[in-house]
Amino acid sequence: MPLREVLKFPDKRLREVSEPVAEIDDEIRALAQDMLDVMYDEPGIGLAAPQVGVAVRLVVVDTEWTAEDAERNPLVLVNPELHDAEGKITWTEGCLSVPDFEAEVERAERVRLKATDLDGKEIVIDAEGLQAVCFQHEIDHLDGTLFIDRISRLKRNLYVQKRKKQLRREAEEAGTAVPV
Ligand SMILES: [Zn+2]
């Protein structure tokens, strides 16, 4: 089966506020597996369901995994929430939905994450550093927020212009209409 497509900025579906998962059924389990397949294929260290066009509060994360070191320790987070944010940290972030762009973003340095796993069991993780950043980035997606919303307006506008040019070029090469 082909992998699900990752939506890219400025797709409006990335701006929706996702609904809580009401019941962990076969559909949710299949979605989580599809999201892991996409995340490891890209590769990325996190993916939120709205990035594949499903507006539910489901996130997959694997901050230990890299392409060179193939050991996988995926976390599947159902209805994740952040508590007890502390401190400040600046991290260079990128996003599978924001092509060809990275920027420094200020986040909380430590967070407590609460969620459930696919069996409905409670997960509590005291995260710091990269993992804390990743949790905040992915949960932002569930609220329709992208990391480019958290950088200066100047930097964001530069990216938006660059992205528009990129889309125009792609459309021209494909011989299709110019997207608005
Ligand atoms: Zn992202």
Side-chain angles (χ1 to χ4, degrees):
M1 217 178 75
L3 291 173
R4 290 186 193 235
E5 189 194 344
V6 177
L7 303 182
K8 306 278 195 318
F9 177 83
D11 195 304
K12 287 190 172 64
R13 287 169 288 178
L14 293 168
R15 295 311 195 173
E16 280 175 38
V17 176
S18 293
E19 294 290 327
V21 174
E23 190 194 346
I24 299 163
D25 54 15
D26 286 348
E27 207 175 313
I28 290 294
R29 278 186 284 268
L31 174 61
Q33 187 54 55
D34 286 356
M35 287 166 60
L36 287 169
D37 291 345
V38 170
M39 179 179 77
Y40 287 120
D41 180 70
E42 286 279 346
I45 58 169
L47 190 72
Q51 290 182 275
V52 292
V54 186
V56 297
R57 303 188 82 82
L58 178 68
V59 160
V60 296
V61 169
D62 189 347
T63 49
E64 285 163 35
W65 184 78
T66 61
E68 300 86 60
D69 167 15
E71 191 156 331
R72 297 177 174 186
N73 290 299
L75 273 174
V76 176
L77 305 171
V78 180
N79 297 330
E81 289 174 13
L82 296 175
H83 300 267
D84 306 326
E86 276 180 6
K88 281 191 169 61
I89 189 171
T90 302
W91 208 276
T92 302
E93 296 187 23
C95 179
L96 298 177
S97 295
V98 181
D100 306 315
F101 187 64
E102 288 184 341
E104 288 190 339
V105 182
E106 191 179 277
R107 304 271 188 187
E109 187 181 10
R110 289 176 297 279
V111 292
R112 171 167 290 176
L113 174 115
K114 291 186 183 174
T116 70
D117 66 13
L118 283 177
D119 299 318
K121 221 174 71 202
E122 194 185 27
I123 298 174
V124 180
I125 299 172
D126 288 312
E128 57 179 25
L130 173 62
Q131 194 180 42
V133 167
C134 189
F135 287 160
Q136 291 168 82
H137 178 117
E138 299 309 332
I139 290 171
D140 265 357
H141 276 299
L142 304 182
D143 296 320
T145 299
L146 300 173
F147 81 96
I148 52 173
D149 302 335
R150 298 188 179 279
I151 63 177
S152 74
R153 178 176 295 206
L154 178 69
K155 281 189 191 160
R156 182 168 55 252
N157 286 346
L158 285 172
Y159 175 69
V160 171
Q161 294 311 318
K162 182 177 129 174
R163 178 73 180 136
K164 277 186 185 159
K165 265 188 218 150
Q166 187 180 41
L167 286 169
R168 218 175 293 137
R169 204 167 47 239
E170 282 173 11
E172 278 166 13
E173 279 166 13
T176 53
V178 176
V180 181

